[in-house]
Amino acid sequence: NSLSVDIENSGYKFKATGRALIFDGYTALYNNQVEDEDDDSSAKLPDIEKGDVFNTKELKPEQKFTKPPARFTEASLVKMMETKGIGRPSTTTATVTVLFNRKYIEKDKGKAIKSTELGRAAVDYLTKHFANIMDIGFTASMEDTLDDIEYMGKPWQQIIADFYGPFEKDLKQAMYSGDNAKIPDEESDEVCEKCGHKMVVRSG
């Protein structure tokens, strides 16, 4: 029986959610099962009726933080792309490989993937100037459009024309904006033999 209990005391309201066991069922065989401690709804509460009065035995203040989502692995990234309709089975793995080769992403710990500073700078720049193209929906719809060209015989000239008009306008605005995906120079331990200053690693 799922329970949601509101308890009032001195003008303060407290809420508890959990379950009350009505019948053991198959759980009678699993009396040593481990509950997920992070899931408040899995807590087992006694059978409670409206109007019951409780005495406070102990008060434990706790602070909890929201956990960030787990990082992608290569496999989970490919699976997400397929779910969102980005790419096709023959291209998804190749796309991830390009991201590694161009130093936009790198391995973090074990199989996890994390973005590089260059990758974040590129995404920020592209999102600022080409927000419609950076949208997942655009990428998925373009995949379907390309399928229509290949399998349905739709004229590619009109599709390209419809795309390139707005794109050319955004491209010119980005080119003349004076903005770029600059990332800070990284000072190295190498000393220039001509000027004596430390050399820097520049990325663009």
Side-chain angles (χ1 to χ4, degrees):
N1 184 22
S2 297
L3 291 178
S4 179
V5 184
D6 293 312
I7 304 169
E8 188 172 359
N9 188 338
S10 304
Y12 295 95
K13 287 187 177 181
F14 302 89
K15 188 177 185 69
T17 57
R19 300 174 301 171
L21 187 64
I22 299 174
F23 174 65
D24 286 342
Y26 72 91
T27 60
L29 301 176
Y30 296 93
N31 54 11
N32 62 341
Q33 63 182 347
V34 178
E35 296 285 358
D36 185 356
E37 294 180 358
D38 292 335
D39 186 4
D40 293 335
S41 64
S42 68
K44 290 183 178 178
L45 298 178
D47 194 10
I48 298 172
E49 297 293 338
K50 185 176 181 179
D52 285 353
V53 178
F54 305 98
N55 295 319
T56 303
K57 289 184 177 180
E58 187 180 5
L59 188 63
K60 293 182 179 180
E62 291 183 2
Q63 185 177 18
K64 293 187 176 181
F65 297 94
T66 303
K67 293 181 180 180
R71 290 190 184 277
F72 283 114
T73 64
E74 288 185 62
S76 63
L77 180 57
V78 168
K79 184 176 181 180
M80 186 277 293
M81 291 171 64
E82 291 174 347
T83 302
K84 297 289 185 181
I86 302 173
R88 295 294 179 262
S90 59
T91 61
T92 48
T93 302
T95 300
V96 175
T97 301
V98 169
L99 295 176
F100 276 114
N101 291 342
R102 295 186 181 177
K103 304 291 191 291
Y104 292 142
I105 58 175
E106 62 187 7
K107 289 288 182 69
D108 184 15
K109 297 175 181 177
K111 296 181 179 180
I113 296 173
K114 71 175 183 178
S115 59
T116 63
E117 190 172 9
L118 176 62
R120 291 189 292 274
V123 169
D124 289 343
Y125 177 83
L126 292 172
T127 303
K128 180 178 179 181
H129 294 288
F130 306 96
N132 58 327
I133 294 177
M134 291 294 285
D135 181 71
I136 289 178
F138 168 83
T139 308
S141 65
M142 181 56 73
E143 293 283 357
D144 293 335
T145 301
L146 295 176
D147 284 345
D148 289 341
I149 295 173
E150 182 175 4
Y151 300 114
M152 306 297 290
K154 288 194 175 182
W156 61 267
Q157 294 89 344
Q158 185 59 50
I159 292 171
I160 294 298
D162 292 341
F163 163 78
Y164 196 76
F167 173 73
E168 186 179 27
K169 182 180 178 181
D170 291 341
L171 189 61
K172 287 181 178 179
Q173 287 181 346
M175 289 174 64
Y176 296 114
S177 68
D179 191 14
N180 57 49
K182 179 75 174 175
I183 60 176
D185 297 336
E186 181 183 350
E187 190 178 84
S188 72
D189 294 330
E190 296 288 333
V191 177
C192 176
E193 58 184 21
K194 293 184 178 180
C195 68
H197 291 90
K198 285 188 175 182
M199 303 179 79
V200 297
V201 178
R202 291 180 175 172
S203 301

